[in-house]
Structure formats: structure tokens, C-alpha cells
Amino acid sequence: MRGDRDFAYGAAAGFLGDLLLGDPRRGHPVAAFGRAAGAVERVLWRDHRGWGALHTAVCAGGAAGAAALASALVRRSRAGSVTLTAAATWSVIGGTSLGREARAIGGALRDGDIEAARERLPHLCGRDPQALDADGIARAVVESVAENTSDAVVGALVWGAIGGVPGLVAFRAVNTLDAMVGHKSPRYRRYGWASARLDDVFGWPGARLTAVLAVLAGDSPRGAVRAWRADAARHPSPNAGPVEAAFAGALGVRLGGTLSYAGRVEHRPVLNTHGRPVGGGDIERAVRLSRRVGLLALGVSIAARAGLRAVGSKRKGLPS
């Protein structure tokens, strides 16, 4: 069907745009959404789950609704549909910027400049860099690359396959809200509950697909499967667990352990206990694995979109 081809061309063009250009330095749509969500929060914030749920519904629902309206307006135009899909895909995925940040930290570690690595780490994750030595920084980077491969690339493509442009936008809106209000600070423990739970739901299929593709694309498929089966459920996050465990096994390294966030210490289970400690050189390996997983996810999402549309057409008695 034409809609399947439009999604395929648009998603591929948007993915290529990210490969070549990365995130726009100014005027990023996700940043604009974040500012709008912050304005809504200033109006609605109460230390109450119900008000937080309203915030989630207004922001995520508004973004998805706007994307659905835009899709309807260009539906009759192939060029318009492809262009909108490409623009949305480029806006919501961030694999290239993820790789650039990780490689910048890896380069600083390779040069022996641990202070520069500590200075850049907050661009990638929320760890306390002063509490980490060189190997601790490398482990934090590899874990962030793994988790963000799902959050910044695969999850968005999965929801694009399910819901087209509205699916792409809805996933990124939910994921952004979770980053803004979904953490367990005193201010957001109740208010951010709905955003955090919705992000768990939206992230579930992408996390599992990321783990599967890490098994297929990694250096040690057997190790990735073993670590996923043995350790994923021990992780406190239902979605980060499979992804980080599969990456750990695929790379042959140990992830997890003691973490520090703004003075708060967490003791997480070790993932892939049979692996070796992470070193600075593993950052580049993780980035390459992330890139391979992203490319495979693009192909899977295009095929899945066509398959879902074919099934829907058969149920309605329409030609596929």
C-alpha cells in the first residue's frame, strides 16, 4: 500500500538525516516540547498523582494530536507524507548525537584527561562524575549507550511502525516527560508517577527489540542471551534491564554495580557476571553495536509497518 511505502521512504530518509547531521543545534522540536511541558507544569504542579496524570495527558496527548492532524493534512500528498515522516523521524531519534557524546568521552579517556571526561559525562547521563574513576566513567558511558539505543532510536522506530508519525511523536513526548518529571525526587515522586509508568509501557516493546537485535548484532550472541536471561530481571528498570544485560553479554563486559546520582548512592546488581570490567576501549565497541542495532531496527520497523497494514487490510476485506 502507498502508506507503507511513504513510511518506508520517510523513515529511511529521517534515519539518514540523523546519520549525516545529528540533532539540530538550534530549534530542536524536542527542546520546544520540553519548554511547553515545563510551562504546563508551572500551571498544574501539585504534589498529587492526579495532577501529574493530567500533565502527562495534556502534554503527550497534545503532541500526538498535533502529529495526527498534520498527518491527516498531508495524507493525499505522497511528497507531503514522506516529508512529514522524514522530519518526524529525524526529530525524534538521536543515535548520532548519542554516539558523538560517547566518543568524545572515550577520546578524553584515551588521552588520559579524566577531568575532561568528567566534564562531558553529564551531557550523556545523570551520574555524579566526581565519584567515578576512568573505568567507572567508561562503564557509565557504555550503560548509557545501551539504554539510549532503546530510548533514542529503537523505541521511536517501533512506535512509528505501530502508529506512523503520531506514534513517533507520542513516544518521544512520553520519553521526554519521563526525563523531566519521572524521577524519584521529592518534587516528582507523586507528580511524575504517571509519566514514569507510561514511559515503562511505551518503552517495553522497543527495549525487547533492542535486546534481540543486540544478540544478533553483537560479538557474542550466546553471551548476550545468557546475560539477558540471567540478569535482566534483577535490574530495577523493567526496560533498561534487558537492554543493558544484552549489551553486556554481547560486548563481554560487566555492567551494573554501585552508582551515584547527585549524592544518592544506588547498589545495582551486576549484569553479565562472567564478563570482564569495562575499559575505555569498550566505548567505541558499544557505539558501533548501537549503530548496527539502529540500522536493523529501521529495517524491522519498515517490515513491521507493512505487515501490520496488510493484516488490517485483510480483516477489513481490502486489497493489501
Side-chain angles (χ1 to χ4, degrees):
M1 294 178 67
R2 201 202 82 181
D4 304 333
R5 292 192 294 271
D6 291 353
F7 176 80
Y9 298 150
F15 194 95
L16 179 61
D18 178 67
L19 285 178
L20 297 176
L21 304 173
D23 291 332
R25 295 185 181 275
R26 295 183 180 180
H28 199 300
V30 176
F33 171 81
R35 289 191 294 271
V40 173
E41 178 190 340
R42 287 191 291 274
V43 174
L44 294 181
W45 188 89
R46 307 286 190 282
D47 190 16
H48 190 277
R49 284 186 176 183
W51 286 95
L54 178 61
H55 174 254
T56 301
V58 168
C59 295
L69 177 61
S71 296
L73 291 175
V74 301
R75 184 170 295 151
R76 296 182 180 277
S77 167
R78 160 158 282 179
S81 181
V82 171
T83 299
L84 180 64
T85 303
T89 303
W90 178 48
S91 296
V92 304
I93 66 174
T96 295
S97 294
L98 171 65
R100 285 175 181 170
E101 288 296 335
R103 282 173 167 148
I105 297 170
L109 292 177
R110 188 169 56 252
D111 295 339
D113 192 347
I114 191 169
E115 290 305 319
R118 285 173 174 156
E119 184 177 345
R120 292 200 69 100
L121 186 63
H123 293 264
L124 194 63
C125 65
R127 308 280 175 87
D128 180 2
Q130 300 306 317
L132 299 173
D133 59 10
D135 288 345
I137 291 173
R139 176 166 62 88
V141 172
V142 171
E143 290 172 354
S144 296
V145 168
E147 184 174 2
N148 283 295
T149 299
S150 177
D151 288 345
V153 183
V154 181
L157 292 171
V158 166
W159 281 96
I162 295 170
V165 171
L168 288 165
V169 171
F171 175 83
R172 178 53 58 223
V174 169
N175 189 251
T176 302
L177 288 174
D178 178 61
M180 294 177 67
V181 304
H183 38 88
K184 296 181 179 180
S185 67
R187 177 177 175 85
Y188 295 123
R189 190 175 301 275
R190 294 184 182 87
Y191 188 82
W193 178 85
S195 290
R197 298 291 77 74
L198 188 61
D199 184 66
D200 287 343
V201 172
F202 267 63
W204 196 95
R208 273 72 194 169
L209 179 59
T210 302
V212 169
L213 297 180
V215 170
L216 298 176
D219 297 334
S220 176
R222 181 176 298 179
V225 171
R226 182 179 62 232
W228 181 5
R229 293 180 61 184
D231 300 326
R234 300 166 60 215
H235 196 286
S237 168
N239 294 330
V243 173
E244 291 186 21
F247 262 68
L251 296 170
V253 300
R254 294 197 302 271
L255 299 179
T258 301
L259 313 176
S260 177
Y261 291 92
R264 186 181 80 255
V265 177
E266 294 184 13
H267 299 284
R268 293 184 179 177
V270 174
L271 307 177
N272 191 34
T273 55
H274 300 282
R276 56 176 174 76
V278 179
D282 292 310
I283 293 175
E284 179 62 29
R285 296 178 62 228
V287 171
R288 290 178 180 175
L289 177 58
S290 174
R291 179 64 56 83
R292 293 195 295 270
V293 167
L295 286 167
L296 288 173
L298 175 65
V300 170
S301 69
I302 290 172
R305 177 74 172 173
L308 289 171
R309 294 289 289 268
V311 170
S313 297
K314 286 183 179 179
R315 287 181 176 177
K316 295 177 181 178
L318 298 174
S320 58

